Amino acid sequence: MSKDGEDPFGGRSPTSHEHMTGLPWDASYREGPAPWDFGGPQPAVVEAAGRFTGDVLDVGCGSGENALHLASLGLRVLGVDVAETALRRARRMAGERGLDAEFATADALRLERLGRGFDTVLDCGLFHTFDADERVRYVKSLEAVTKGTLFILCFSDEGENTGPHPVKREALTAPFGRGWRVKTIEKARVRTRFHDENGAPAWFATIEREPSDE
Ligand SMILES: C[S@@+](CC[C@H](N)C(=O)[O-])C[C@H]1O[C@@H](n2cnc3c(N)ncnc32)[C@H](O)[C@@H]1O
């Protein structure tokens, strides 16, 4: 609890990343742009945007640049995050740009609470913040809402000047078992405020839901 009696984690358990930093995610957004808010949508997301279809969920949308880019292409987008400051910024930018995107507070580890399904789900920079146990829970949570394709853009461990949570290729595929098909994992880049304009080494994974035979 904070001094004013408010739970900074909004009733959920802190994630491993929040335990590590000692701060709720929201704190990253309170004093100016967060370290990953470089001022636009991720180039890898822009490049893949033609592969997004139908209803889109952006999980861990932050201040919404990716969701807003997808909305600007006419896609129906819901961005969810646990950081209220980021969501307020995303809604404000949607208004300023005249874009019709929805932003809501939701825990990526409890997506079933949304009670909705999405044709395309984007994770840009969230997967790599979870530890191995959380990734297993996260994939279960994604199962409840993903009807078609899941795209994950995360830091990779291959190359120079890696980001703060570099993910090995095997660690990216490990939590996806029955009910999923890892279609491709391509080398990509993630832009941040602490890398030059070429960004950091990344993976761009395309993962599809498969009907389970149960
Ligand atoms: C590295 S940032 C990436 C933000 C955004 N996707 C982008 O590309 O700018 C990770 C985001 O995930 C959010 N996040 C972390 N844990 C979460 C959880 N359990 N549920 C929902 N969002 C979460 C954080 O608040 C943060 O906005």
Side-chain angles (χ1 to χ4, degrees), residues 166-205:
V167 175
K168 286 185 186 308
R169 189 187 277 264
E170 314 82 79
L172 175 50
T173 56
F176 292 94
R178 279 172 63 157
W180 296 95
R181 184 164 74 95
V182 180
K183 211 171 152 204
T184 54
I185 298 185
E186 298 154 80
K187 286 192 178 191
R189 308 292 295 178
V190 169
R191 285 200 62 185
T192 75
R193 288 165 62 78
F194 51 91
H195 290 86
D196 66 20
E197 68 277 7
N198 291 317
W203 301 119
F204 188 84

Side-chain angles (χ1 to χ4, degrees), residues 15 25 29 36-37 60-62 66 81-83 106-108 124-126 130:
T15 65
W25 275 102
Y29 293 98
W36 46 89
D37 267 341
C61 63
N66 296 312
D81 207 288
V82 290
D107 183 351
C124 177
L126 173 58
F130 287 138

Side-chain angles (χ1 to χ4, degrees), residues 19-38:
H19 273 300
M20 186 183 74
T21 61
L23 292 169
W25 275 102
D26 195 62
S28 309
Y29 293 98
R30 285 185 204 145
E31 284 162 26
W36 46 89
D37 267 341
F38 74 96

Side-chain angles (χ1 to χ4, degrees), residues 5-23:
E6 230 179 77
D7 176 2
F9 298 100
R12 67 188 167 83
S13 302
T15 65
S16 56
H17 184 277
E18 290 169 318
H19 273 300
M20 186 183 74
T21 61
L23 292 169

Side-chain angles (χ1 to χ4, degrees), residues 18-96:
E18 290 169 318
H19 273 300
M20 186 183 74
T21 61
L23 292 169
W25 275 102
D26 195 62
S28 309
Y29 293 98
R30 285 185 204 145
E31 284 162 26
W36 46 89
D37 267 341
F38 74 96
Q42 286 291 337
V45 173
V46 173
E47 198 183 315
R51 294 158 64 195
F52 285 64
T53 55
D55 286 333
V56 177
L57 175 66
D58 181 358
V59 193
C61 63
S63 43
E65 287 286 7
N66 296 312
L68 292 172
H69 175 70
L70 297 168
S72 76
L73 302 176
L75 289 153
R76 279 185 306 276
V77 187
L78 169 66
V80 297
D81 207 288
V82 290
E84 302 284 351
T85 308
L87 292 168
R88 276 196 297 278
R89 196 167 297 159
R91 289 186 197 109
R92 195 186 63 232
M93 291 198 297
E96 285 166 3

Side-chain angles (χ1 to χ4, degrees), residues 109-130:
L109 300 173
R110 301 303 306 270
L111 291 172
E112 71 283 357
R113 290 176 175 168
L114 292 175
R116 283 166 68 175
F118 299 84
D119 304 289
T120 314
V121 176
L122 171 66
D123 171 325
C124 177
L126 173 58
F127 179 91
H128 62 210
T129 73
F130 287 138

